[in-house]
Amino acid sequence: MKITDARVVVSSPGRNYVTLVVETEDGVTGIGDATLNGRELAVASYLRDHVCPLLVGRDARRIEDTWQYLYKGAYWRRGPVTMTAIAAVDVALWDIKGKAAGMPLYQLLGGASREGVLVYGHASGTSLDGLSEDFQRHLDLGYRAIRVQAAVPGLEKTYGIAPADGRVYEPASGNRPQEDTWDTPAYLDFAPAMIAHVREQFGYGVHLLHDVHHRLTPIEAGRLGAALEPYRLFWMEDPTPAEDQSAFRILRQHTTTPVAVGEVFNSIWDCQQLITERLIDYVRASVSHTGGITHLRRVFSLAELYGVRSGSHGAGDLSPVAMAAALHLDLAIPNFGIQEHMGHTGPYAEVFRTSYSFSDGYMHPGDAPGLGVEFDEEAAARHPYEPRYLPVNRRLDGTVHDW
Ligand code: KDG
Ligand code: MG
């Protein structure tokens, strides 16, 4: 089953998505998500200029060999651009294999280990009352697990807070990133009060999650985790910058609040110490940024040995192709924890037709062969790329801060 064409489509149906399309001589086509938020064109070029020409003529059935060829063969390993490009190829080949077999991808991964995939939605507010309203809206939609974020009083902007109309909170398009402000003492005073407010109002019957976006030092994160213990969080996400794995030892000494890390991971080497020293409870890596299904499955298998569960990243800047791939993997692996479900907005459904479903707090990837996502290239062409960046975060004195 030779690959006859591989091409990259960059489109913006609501936000930017990079999609790889792989065609075979048998007429079976596969798709993969190659979106790297704010650096989309770098991955598009890596694929177009260096990977697509190598794919033509290869056997689409040889997924593992192609993965090794692109990873080891390039000499330059890891990194978000490389691993997102490899992920897109890998997912497209799994899609082709599923379609050729006439089976949904999760069947090729060993079949369903559960009936549905527990997902969490995002509730946020510019005030505690606004957060409560959005939280109630999520409960009404059927979510059983909800991430809570609210604007820190006194700060002009807080990342992760949706405008009143819905779920999108990324800045508008433009050639430069927006700049946000940050003040750790104000945040550390506010965050426990925010979580207490939600528990007081809504009780303990729903899972609560909170994202720190890598903004604390290990000892600050330990203090926050300890303060949050009475509110029994499902997890505290990305408490400190993720590249410093040994820092999590300090955090672990100070709190029993579960810790989730991983949306910036690209490979198993980014979490080897975190997993083998049991410094985290959930790996939040994504299919798109961590080398595809082939590699992320390896990460989750390592995690399984150490009692660490999955909690994959599922933000709106990962395309519906990535969401579908994540759901197939979530359904199949033994150590699944939870899946983020931020959803997509804008005219994305003109471009991506999905088979996955949400009901009563759980999602299912559907039973269409392969990923179960159809990609409409003509519709994609109607929504051209728009430059758009994640915000830069500065402390009150102007210093660029972690995030
Ligand atoms: O591209 C980065 C976003 O996906 C990220 O900032 C969103 O933190 C996020 C999350 O948990 O979804
Ligand atoms: Mg996050």
Side-chain angles (χ1 to χ4, degrees):
M1 193 191 237
K2 279 206 170 59
I3 295 173
T4 50
D5 188 35
R7 56 185 180 276
V8 179
V9 181
V10 183
S11 63
S12 191
R15 59 183 310 153
N16 292 319
Y17 296 119
V18 180
T19 308
L20 176 71
V21 182
V22 177
E23 280 181 3
T24 63
E25 59 187 353
D26 305 38
V28 183
T29 300
I31 50 175
D33 178 35
T35 309
L36 186 62
N37 196 6
R39 295 293 184 273
E40 296 87 356
L41 300 184
V43 187
S45 158
Y46 191 107
L47 282 167
R48 266 183 197 137
D49 298 332
H50 301 291
V51 173
C52 292
L54 308 182
L55 293 179
V56 175
R58 291 184 69 83
D59 185 344
R61 294 170 300 187
R62 297 182 63 173
I63 298 177
E64 182 67 44
D65 182 64
T66 299
W67 197 95
Q68 301 293 339
Y69 178 80
L70 294 175
Y71 182 79
K72 294 180 179 162
Y75 185 72
W76 308 108
R77 300 181 182 191
R78 306 185 290 154
V81 175
T82 296
M83 297 305 277
T84 303
I86 295 177
V89 175
D90 185 76
V91 170
L93 296 187
W94 278 105
D95 189 24
I96 288 170
K97 199 176 274 297
K99 285 176 180 162
M103 288 185 199
L105 196 52
Y106 74 83
Q107 291 292 6
L108 304 185
L109 299 173
S113 290
R114 52 197 55 79
E115 303 310 315
V117 170
L118 177 69
V119 295
Y120 70 90
H122 286 200
S124 67
T126 48
S127 64
L128 291 181
D129 284 347
L131 172 61
S132 295
E133 253 175 56
D134 203 24
F135 196 90
Q136 184 61 55
R137 186 174 71 84
H138 280 80
L139 287 176
D140 295 344
L141 287 169
Y143 284 97
R144 294 158 185 253
I146 303 175
R147 186 187 96 159
V148 291
Q149 311 289 131
V152 177
L155 293 186
E156 206 184 315
K157 296 188 201 96
T158 308
Y159 180 71
I161 312 303
D165 64 342
R167 301 185 184 121
V168 178
Y169 54 74
E170 301 296 354
S173 53
N175 284 315
R176 273 177 199 280
Q178 158 191 308
E179 301 214 348
D180 290 354
T181 46
W182 180 251
D183 183 39
T184 297
Y187 167 74
L188 282 177
D189 287 344
F190 174 67
M194 170 187 65
I195 304 288
H197 165 87
V198 176
R199 279 296 189 216
E200 274 157 27
Q201 198 166 354
F202 297 97
Y204 283 75
V206 53
H207 295 302
L208 282 192
L209 303 87
H210 177 63
D211 194 348
V212 187
H213 292 298
H214 311 105
R215 291 177 182 198
L216 300 178
T217 65
I219 203 69
E220 288 165 352
R223 183 180 136 201
L224 177 63
L228 296 178
E229 278 168 23
Y231 310 114
R232 197 166 46 69
L233 281 196
F234 189 94
W235 75 37
M236 170 170 74
E237 176 178 330
D238 290 336
T240 63
E243 63 266 42
D244 185 358
Q245 297 186 48
S246 65
F248 286 79
R249 289 186 189 141
I250 299 172
L251 171 58
R252 266 311 207 217
Q253 286 161 11
H254 292 281
T255 181
T256 56
T257 292
V259 176
V261 185
E263 63 186 54
V264 296
F265 293 165
N266 315 127
S267 85
I268 202 162
W269 307 105
D270 294 331
C271 47
Q272 181 192 24
Q273 184 181 7
L274 290 175
I275 291 171
T276 58
E277 290 189 26
R278 303 173 197 270
L279 299 178
I280 57 173
D281 302 281
Y282 297 90
V283 189
R284 290 194 69 258
S286 71
V287 172
S288 293
H289 301 147
T290 317
I293 286 172
T294 297
H295 193 66
L296 188 56
R297 191 160 60 147
R298 222 157 256 154
V299 172
F300 290 153
S301 295
L302 177 68
E304 187 201 348
L305 297 182
Y306 294 90
V308 175
R309 289 191 280 161
S310 73
S312 290
H313 188 206
D317 52 274
L318 299 162
S319 89
V321 180
M323 190 66 202
L327 290 171
H328 284 283
L329 198 53
D330 294 336
L331 199 67
I333 58 170
N335 56 328
F336 168 73
I338 199 166
Q339 169 69 49
E340 182 180 21
H341 178 233
M342 192 171 161
H344 297 92
T345 49
Y348 76 95
E350 285 174 29
V351 177
F352 300 98
R353 281 184 274 285
T354 57
S355 314
Y356 52 73
S357 55
F358 171 89
S359 168
D360 217 8
Y362 291 84
M363 290 185 76
H364 193 282
D367 282 303
L371 287 170
V373 182
E374 278 173 44
F375 178 59
D376 184 333
E377 282 185 66
E378 277 176 29
R382 293 198 294 272
H383 301 282
Y385 166 78
E386 295 173 5
R388 198 180 278 242
Y389 290 95
L390 282 161
V392 168
N393 193 31
R394 287 188 191 274
R395 278 181 239 157
L396 299 179
D397 68 358
T399 308
V400 175
H401 189 68
D402 290 302
W403 96 281

